[in-house]
């Protein structure tokens, strides 16, 4: 017998008081979430390393909805890009249309008629409400509140009905044009939309009442996925997620576009930067959007819908059939596309999730040379591993929901 | 908007021996200020922009790349920077040659730059040194080439599973007439 | 008149075959009726069409009326695969695997034009229609389709299931997946 064994045997072995004291092998476990997983909204894949129930590390793999947005746009005319932009953030497509149109107009130095600006603002804000309703509904659904989901979808459907009357499609609106908007509001549309908004306000308040003081909901969202103000800036957050962390930066105030400088509205700012704040931010923004739309209805005056410049906008049909200039302009716009002056520009607008940027490079021809998309949700999704460090696995679901990752825009 | 920034940059990064670090400042469309930055001094410029009390560019909202095929140098990486405290924006453009498409990473300055640089690598094949997670972003590892380069064909599919052949195509989508497959 | 059919034994219907055929028809009809109202769907939601899918599942359009309400998030519990949205080359192997995991009988609905044909995404990334990877029963066009259109598609699928021929297997082993191509 060696001395070590003798030493070991000298010590008395105490019997364990219970089974629970038995040493458990703690081993890290790899869990693969997605890409076809309901919590991952269909298209992201997270490889989560679990330490017990806590997330030790998380690795994201995206690109399951990469459908070559930029390459496709580089091969079509500037006007034909609009349907592609519809399908970026498909919950709020008009905002993408408007963002792209504004970026191109920045390059062309076009001034859009006032009525078109108002219509763009109204439709953008309606779609902001749609986007936030979808997020709140999905957040509720995934935390077990099915009713909220049904209310939110109903509210969204009511608004979509109005937008269908305006632009002909429920979801992919294709509404804005370079130099204006595609069509005017039909007769009686403003009154009808006001009535619809009243109904949506009721639904929103009901959702608010169901969730905001709900014990289960608050327990699962408060102090979950907290992002500090410095972190949020460093990680490139924009939009409601940045403002939830306490940074009052909103492009509608910081760099006003359209008619936002004439409207009276507030920017809600959070204080904790957790999932609950991000949820509250959405509820507040819906209230502000509602206020803005009503102001626009009040201030809007009849007028032109598009600029009268045949280099950018199709001439009206009587001129196409009646004058040689009209035919020429029509033919050139259809066959060659709008001749955007050579140069580069970065257009940015405040979309539902944050800064929506288009980096455009034109070589003076009818097609974009480069169309770079800065998707609002991109940095937020990239930051998910940082936010989730050390959180519970079950926290992944609300956090993932509250950053509102939309596959279409993030993965292009 | 931020003429102050451009002037300060040009002044500070003057280098009579090796050439200026920041050159060709101009006012871009819509009033955004732009400047060309030498690759060697990029990190230095970025660090100055973030840390200087006067500048406080605390965010990098968008970084992208452009392929100017036929020009020399071929690629250009564009850094759109934002200072939320001052409400200033600036655009830095860095030219990179095709044979030597390597840039220093700015992930150490703004963590948010991580995925933008991965995007540039995936889509254009521009490498970034000292990047914490240098992988493809959208495409799969089996994918050969970089799809957003101008010489990559629009329809150059590289399927991962065997696809059934569909005999005739009734009509074609947009793009050049020749098939890239 | 003799044709070459006569040379094959068992092709001439006898009264016994008739009887079995009638029984089989009745059973087949009953099975079809039962199956068409209990579709358990697996929503393979990827893109924009998912928004319309949400509307479809919510109160206003209510897919429940057609017996196809309950989404199962495991392919092993589902028999209807709804491919909702664009499928790209990176996603294709996953879709193939999900389809292979669903046990027979199974049906596939291509929801939206991207799933049906690739839509206007004719580029390097996108699969030009999921029928290049898996067989499809019903195509619902539209970008995205209106919910009514999808309900119509579901009804067409139900008609197809009702009319489907359910065979007696006679104890013969079922074909192994992946070895024999499934009839389209």
């Amino acid at each position: 017998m060696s001395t070590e064994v003798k030493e070991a045997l000298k010590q008395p072995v105490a019997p364990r008081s219970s089974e629970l004291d038995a040493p458990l092998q703690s081993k890290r476990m790899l869990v693969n979430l997605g890409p076809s997983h309901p919590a991952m909204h269909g298209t992201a894949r997270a490889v989560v390393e679990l330490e017990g129930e806590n997330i030790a590390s998380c690795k994201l793999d995206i690109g399951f909805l990469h459908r070559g947005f930029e390459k496709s746009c580089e091969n079509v005319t500037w006007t034909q890009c609009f349907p592609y932009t519809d399908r970026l953030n498909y919950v709020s497509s008009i905002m993408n249309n408007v963002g792209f149109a504004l970026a191109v107009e920045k390059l062309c130095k076009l001034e859009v008629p006032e009525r078109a600006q108002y219509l763009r603002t109204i439709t953008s804000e309606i779609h902001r409400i749609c986007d936030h309703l979808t997020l709140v509904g999905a957040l509720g659904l995934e935390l077990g509140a099915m009713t909220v989901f049904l209310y939110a979808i109903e509210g969204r459907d009511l608004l979509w009905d109005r937008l269908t009357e305006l632009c002909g499609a429920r979801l992919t609106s294709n509404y804005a044009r370079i130099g204006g908007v595609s069509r005017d509001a039909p007769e009686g549309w403003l009154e009808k939309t006001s009535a619809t908004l009243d109904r949506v306000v009721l639904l929103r308040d009901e959702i608010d009442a169901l969730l905001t003081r709900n014990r289960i909901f608050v327990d699962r969202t408060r102090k979950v996925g907290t992002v500090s103000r410095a972190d949020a800036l460093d990680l490139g957050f924009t939009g409601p997620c940045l403002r939830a962390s306490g940074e009052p930066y909103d492009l509608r105030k910081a760099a006003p576009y359209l008619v936002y400088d004439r409207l009276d509205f507030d920017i809600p700012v959070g204080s904790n930067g957790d999932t609950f704040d991000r949820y509250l931010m959405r509820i507040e923004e819906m209230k502000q959007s509602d206020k803005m739309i009503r102001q626009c209805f009040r201030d809007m005056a009849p007028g032109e819908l598009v600029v009268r410049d045949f280099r950018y906008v199709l001439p009206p049909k009587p001129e196409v059939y009646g004058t040689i200039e009209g035919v020429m302009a029509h033919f050139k716009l259809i066959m060659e596309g709008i001749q955007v002056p050579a140069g580069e520009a970065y257009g940015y607008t405040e979309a539902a999730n944050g800064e929506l940027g288009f980096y455009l490079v034109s070589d003076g021809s009818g097609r974009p040379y480069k169309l770079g998309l800065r998707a609002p949700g991109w940095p937020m999704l990239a930051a998910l591993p940082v936010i989730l460090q050390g959180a519970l696995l079950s926290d992944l679901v609300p956090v993932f929901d509250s950053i509102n990752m939309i596959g279409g825009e993030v993965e292009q | 908007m931020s003429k102050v920034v451009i002037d300060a940059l040009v002044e500070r990064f003057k280098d009579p021996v090796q050439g200026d670090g920041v050159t060709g400042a101009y006012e871009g469309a819509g009033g955004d200020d732009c400047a060309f930055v030498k690759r060697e001094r990029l990190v230095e410029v970025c660090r100055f922009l973030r840390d200087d009390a006067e500048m406080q560019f605390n965010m990098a909202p968008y970084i992208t790349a452009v392929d100017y095929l036929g020009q020399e140098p071929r690629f250009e990486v564009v850094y759109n920077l934002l200072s939320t405290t001052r409400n200033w924006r600036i655009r830095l453009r860095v030219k990179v040659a095709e044979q030597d498409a390597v840039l220093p990473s700015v992930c150490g300055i703004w963590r948010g730059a991580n995925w933008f640089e991965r995007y540039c690598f995936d889509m254009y094949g521009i490498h970034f040194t000292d990047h914490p997670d240098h992988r493809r972003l959208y495409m799969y590892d089996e994918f050969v080439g970089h799809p957003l380069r101008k010489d990559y064909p629009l329809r150059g599919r590289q399927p991962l599973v065997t696809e059934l052949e569909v005999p005739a195509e009734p009509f074609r989508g947009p793009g050049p007439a020749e098939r890239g497959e | 008149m003799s044709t070459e059919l006569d040379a094959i034994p068992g092709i001439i219907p006898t009264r016994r075959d008739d009887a079995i055929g009638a029984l089989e028809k009745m059973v087949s009809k009953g099975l079809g009726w039962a199956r068409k109202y209990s579709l358990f769907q697996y929503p393979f939601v990827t893109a924009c069409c998912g928004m319309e899918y949400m509307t479809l599942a919510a109160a206003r359009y209510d897919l429940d009326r057609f017996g196809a309400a309950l989404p199962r998030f495991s392919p092993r519990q589902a028999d209807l695969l709804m491919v909702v949205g664009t499928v790209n080359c990176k996603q294709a192997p996953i879709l193939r695997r999900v389809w292979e995991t669903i046990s027979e009988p199974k049906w596939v609905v291509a929801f939206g034009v991207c799933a049906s044909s690739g839509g206007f995404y004719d580029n390097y990334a996108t699969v030009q229609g999921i029928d290049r990877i898996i067989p499809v029963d019903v195509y619902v066009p539209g970008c995205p389709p209106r919910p009514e259109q999808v309900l119509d598609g579901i009804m067409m699928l139900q008609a197809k299931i009702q009319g489907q021929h359910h065979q007696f297997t006679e104890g013969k082993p079922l074909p192994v997946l992946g070895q024999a191509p499934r009839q389209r």
Side-chain angles (χ1 to χ4, degrees):
Chain A
M1 231 191 289
S2 71
T3 48
E4 289 161 25
V5 179
K6 274 180 193 164
E7 283 299 310
L9 284 178
K10 266 183 203 163
Q11 289 167 356
V13 181
R16 292 208 166 81
S17 55
S18 81
E19 280 289 303
L20 291 175
D21 290 345
L24 270 177
Q25 282 288 323
S26 72
K27 210 168 127 189
R28 287 195 168 183
M29 187 162 72
L30 270 182
V31 176
N32 184 27
L33 283 170
S36 187
H37 187 277
M40 304 308 287
H41 294 202
T43 46
R45 172 169 168 241
V47 183
V48 185
E49 206 176 350
L50 288 179
E51 180 98 58
E53 263 206 68
N54 292 72
I55 296 172
S57 75
C58 165
K59 228 176 182 182
L60 279 172
D61 185 11
I62 66 164
F64 293 97
L65 188 53
H66 178 67
R67 38 190 182 181
F69 164 77
E70 293 186 3
K71 190 93 177 171
S72 286
C73 283
E74 284 167 17
N75 282 288
V76 295
T77 63
W78 291 94
T79 317
Q80 283 172 327
C81 290
F82 279 107
Y84 285 106
T85 59
D86 271 342
R87 286 149 186 85
L88 293 175
N89 185 344
Y90 29 75
V91 200
S92 52
S93 49
I94 292 184
M95 275 194 226
N96 305 316
N97 291 166
V98 171
F100 178 67
L102 283 171
V104 180
E105 282 153 14
K106 204 173 191 179
L107 207 51
C108 300
K109 301 193 174 60
L110 271 182
E111 195 59 47
V112 181
E114 194 160 294
R115 186 169 175 87
Q117 293 198 9
Y118 272 109
L119 278 170
R120 281 181 179 184
T121 314
I122 291 169
T123 44
S124 292
E125 292 305 320
I126 289 180
H127 257 163
R128 195 186 303 277
I129 298 181
C130 289
D131 195 289
H132 290 346
L133 274 176
T134 312
L135 174 125
V136 172
L139 183 60
L141 176 74
E142 279 166 27
L143 295 182
M146 183 80 186
T147 321
V148 172
F149 174 72
L150 295 178
Y151 284 3
I153 297 294
E154 179 59 21
R156 200 180 68 172
D157 263 354
L158 288 169
L159 289 172
W160 278 358
D161 283 350
R162 295 291 85 78
L163 288 175
T164 313
E165 289 163 11
L166 184 66
C167 52
R170 279 165 61 84
L171 191 68
T172 44
S173 46
N174 193 8
Y175 184 59
R177 291 285 182 276
I178 295 167
V181 292
S182 64
R183 56 187 88 179
D184 203 353
E187 207 177 315
W189 188 78
L190 301 189
E191 294 77 41
K192 249 173 140 179
T193 312
S194 297
T196 307
L197 281 171
D198 293 340
R199 179 97 181 86
V200 173
V201 166
L202 289 181
L203 284 166
R204 184 200 67 209
D205 289 345
E206 204 136 2
I207 292 171
D208 194 10
L210 275 170
L211 284 184
T212 310
R213 286 158 162 274
N214 185 321
R215 181 66 194 272
I216 303 169
F217 182 77
V218 173
D219 279 357
R220 286 208 58 187
T221 51
R222 190 161 259 173
K223 297 204 173 65
V224 166
T226 312
V227 187
S228 72
R229 186 170 169 173
D231 269 352
L233 285 167
D234 193 27
L235 291 164
F237 278 31
T238 46
C241 293
L242 176 66
R243 295 194 284 277
S245 302
E247 176 77 27
Y249 187 79
D250 189 317
L251 280 169
R252 288 173 293 174
K253 288 274 189 202
Y257 54 99
L258 296 178
V259 294
Y260 284 113
D261 47 349
R262 292 176 227 169
L263 300 179
D264 170 36
F265 65 102
D266 300 321
I267 301 294
V269 178
S271 49
N272 300 325
D274 55 5
T275 307
F276 189 66
D277 269 20
R278 289 194 281 269
Y279 153 77
L280 282 182
M281 205 57 54
R282 263 68 184 223
I283 295 280
E284 271 316 306
E285 284 206 356
M286 278 196 264
K287 290 180 185 163
Q288 296 302 326
S289 295
D290 187 77
K291 205 167 125 189
M292 271 183 256
I293 297 168
R294 286 169 204 274
Q295 285 175 35
C296 286
F297 284 168
R298 193 192 60 209
D299 299 343
M300 200 161 69
E304 294 269 317
L305 284 181
V306 282
V307 287
R308 283 273 162 256
D309 188 342
F310 296 160
R311 286 174 303 160
Y312 300 111
V313 178
L314 284 179
K317 280 288 175 294
E319 287 199 40
V320 177
Y321 296 135
T323 63
I324 184 73
E325 291 80 19
V327 178
M328 282 303 295
H330 188 96
F331 180 79
K332 281 195 96 73
L333 281 180
I334 297 290
M335 298 309 289
E336 290 170 8
I338 294 166
Q339 308 288 311
V340 174
E344 38 97 51
Y346 179 60
Y348 37 87
T349 53
E350 181 79 23
N353 292 331
E355 177 180 324
L356 172 75
F358 285 99
Y359 181 70
L360 306 175
V361 179
S362 169
D363 56 354
S365 73
R367 291 162 190 227
Y369 187 78
K370 154 88 186 173
L371 199 161
L373 166 77
R374 193 266 183 206
W378 204 353
M380 267 92 91
L381 184 65
L384 199 65
V386 182
I387 306 175
L388 285 175
Q389 192 76 41
L392 289 172
L393 179 63
S394 56
D395 292 343
L396 188 142
V397 176
V399 172
F400 194 84
D401 258 332
S402 69
I403 61 167
N404 199 8
M405 174 264 186
I406 304 276
E409 60 176 17
V410 175
E411 310 185 359
Q412 304 183 349
Chain B
M1 199 187 280
S2 46
K3 194 86 181 80
V4 199
V5 186
I6 291 285
D7 290 344
L9 276 180
V10 173
E11 189 57 38
R12 194 186 164 93
F13 291 96
K14 263 206 169 98
D15 192 342
V17 186
Q18 291 172 352
D20 292 350
V22 180
T23 49
Y26 67 98
E27 189 182 313
D32 294 347
D33 278 308
C34 321
F36 291 93
V37 178
K38 252 179 130 173
R39 181 176 67 172
E40 289 73 26
R41 308 201 67 176
L42 173 69
V43 174
E44 211 181 322
V45 170
C46 287
R47 205 171 281 285
F48 166 72
L49 280 174
R50 188 196 62 174
D51 292 339
D52 191 80
E54 196 60 34
M55 305 295 164
Q56 298 188 20
F57 278 86
N58 46 10
M59 196 197 279
Y62 188 39
I63 297 167
T64 189
V66 191
D67 173 11
Y68 292 102
L69 183 62
Q71 285 182 26
E72 201 53 51
R74 180 174 168 184
F75 296 110
E76 185 181 286
V77 180
V78 184
Y79 294 79
N80 287 289
L81 308 179
L82 166 70
S83 158
T84 53
T85 42
R86 298 256 184 276
N87 196 10
W88 286 344
R89 272 175 195 270
I90 188 175
R91 186 150 72 236
L92 304 178
R93 300 168 68 179
V94 186
K95 296 252 180 217
V96 201
E98 186 183 1
Q99 294 78 27
D100 185 27
V102 184
L103 269 175
S105 166
V106 294
C107 281
I109 302 171
W110 300 283
R111 270 185 293 167
N114 187 331
W115 276 21
F116 295 127
E117 292 183 343
R118 277 177 67 190
Y119 159 89
C120 293
F121 166 63
D122 187 3
M123 292 289 145
Y124 291 94
I126 299 167
H127 292 263
F128 290 88
T129 49
D130 304 327
H131 191 281
D133 188 17
H134 202 276
R135 287 182 296 143
R136 277 183 180 275
L137 183 64
Y138 293 137
M139 307 311 291
Y140 30 93
D141 292 335
E142 293 87 347
F143 196 87
V144 183
H146 302 283
L148 273 185
R149 286 189 174 192
K150 286 282 174 187
D151 49 7
Y152 191 88
L154 172 67
R155 296 186 178 82
R157 277 181 211 104
Q158 301 183 16
L160 285 175
V161 289
T162 46
E163 294 185 1
L164 297 171
E165 203 41 60
V166 178
E169 288 187 45
F171 56 82
R172 296 165 10 80
E178 72 273 8
R179 303 285 303 180
E181 289 151 316
Chain C
M1 205 178 84
S2 79
T3 63
E4 53 187 302
L5 279 180
D6 295 338
I8 306 166
I11 205 76
I12 305 160
T14 59
R15 297 185 67 176
R16 184 169 169 275
D17 287 342
D18 270 352
I20 289 178
L23 179 67
E24 211 174 51
K25 255 184 207 157
M26 269 171 63
V27 173
S28 176
K29 225 173 147 184
L31 274 174
W33 175 83
R35 273 180 177 164
K36 78 173 179 181
Y37 289 125
S38 63
L39 290 170
F40 283 81
Q41 36 154 332
Y42 178 86
F44 192 86
V45 179
T46 57
C48 340
C49 295
M51 294 300 123
E52 287 293 25
Y53 178 80
M54 280 160 92
T55 311
L56 188 70
R60 194 189 273 199
Y61 291 96
D62 197 7
L63 202 53
D64 208 355
R65 294 175 293 160
F66 299 86
L70 207 59
R72 309 306 304 171
F73 287 110
S74 163
R76 283 162 225 278
Q77 301 167 355
D79 50 13
L80 168 62
L81 175 63
M82 276 187 134
V83 183
V84 184
T86 320
V87 173
N88 68 6
C89 292
K90 195 173 181 180
Q91 186 89 294
I94 297 148
L95 177 64
R96 177 76 151 268
R97 193 144 145 200
V98 166
W99 178 77
E100 279 169 357
T101 321
I102 299 176
S103 50
E104 292 276 357
K106 58 187 166 191
W107 300 278
V108 179
V109 172
F111 187 127
V113 77
C114 286
S116 303
S117 73
F120 68 173
Y121 290 105
D122 187 6
N123 55 28
Y124 62 90
T126 318
V127 174
Q128 299 300 297
I130 55 162
D131 50 3
R132 293 196 178 196
I133 312 165
I134 56 172
V136 178
D137 293 284
V138 176
Y139 298 87
V140 183
C143 189
R146 285 188 65 91
E148 294 93 329
Q149 235 169 313
V150 186
L151 293 181
D152 189 46
I154 294 281
M155 280 155 76
M156 277 166 73
L157 180 71
Q158 286 179 336
K160 182 175 179 176
I161 295 169
Q162 174 72 77
Q164 229 172 23
H165 182 58
H166 296 88
Q167 258 182 322
F168 291 141
T169 56
E170 295 174 1
K172 272 186 244 159
L174 286 166
V176 181
L177 253 182
Q179 288 186 1
R182 186 171 176 261
Q183 223 178 348
R184 298 183 68 196

